[in-house]
Amino acid sequence: VGTLDEFLEAVTLKQLGQFNRPIILVNTAGFFDPLLLQLSRMAEEQFMREEHMQLFTVINNPEHRWAAKHCASFAGELFAATG
């Protein structure tokens, strides 16, 4: 649980390799759709790297957080092994 500022800080720290835990954004009722569209546009316009969109997982239902956390952890381990 955190604020928008904390979410973006966690993403930034993950970009820098200073944070290795899963980042999960719960997008209940599409609340964060505008933010996700902006981040996608930023990647398309090269204001951020496309691969940084993979640093977090978006779920629509808070009940799915445990599965998302497991998948995000596995993906992070896989990236670390291949990156």
Side-chain angles (χ1 to χ4, degrees):
V1 177
T3 64
L4 177 60
D5 179 56
E6 290 167 332
F7 167 72
L8 295 174
E9 180 179 5
V11 172
T12 299
L13 291 173
K14 200 162 191 172
Q15 290 171 348
L16 298 173
Q18 297 177 5
F19 184 77
N20 63 359
R21 298 182 68 192
I23 301 171
I24 301 169
L25 183 67
V26 182
N27 189 25
T28 304
F31 182 83
F32 288 110
D33 284 350
L35 172 65
L36 296 170
L37 287 171
Q38 180 62 36
L39 292 173
S40 293
R41 182 173 178 205
M42 290 173 69
E44 289 170 11
E45 300 285 335
Q46 299 180 354
F47 284 94
M48 66 182 270
R49 294 184 182 158
E50 186 73 35
E51 63 264 21
H52 291 161
M53 293 294 292
Q54 306 306 313
L55 295 176
F56 57 92
T57 302
V58 179
I59 60 173
N60 295 323
N61 185 332
E63 294 176 8
H64 298 150
R65 69 189 177 277
W66 301 117
K69 182 178 178 183
H70 175 72
C71 290
S73 294
F74 177 74
E77 291 168 10
L78 182 63
F79 178 76
T82 61

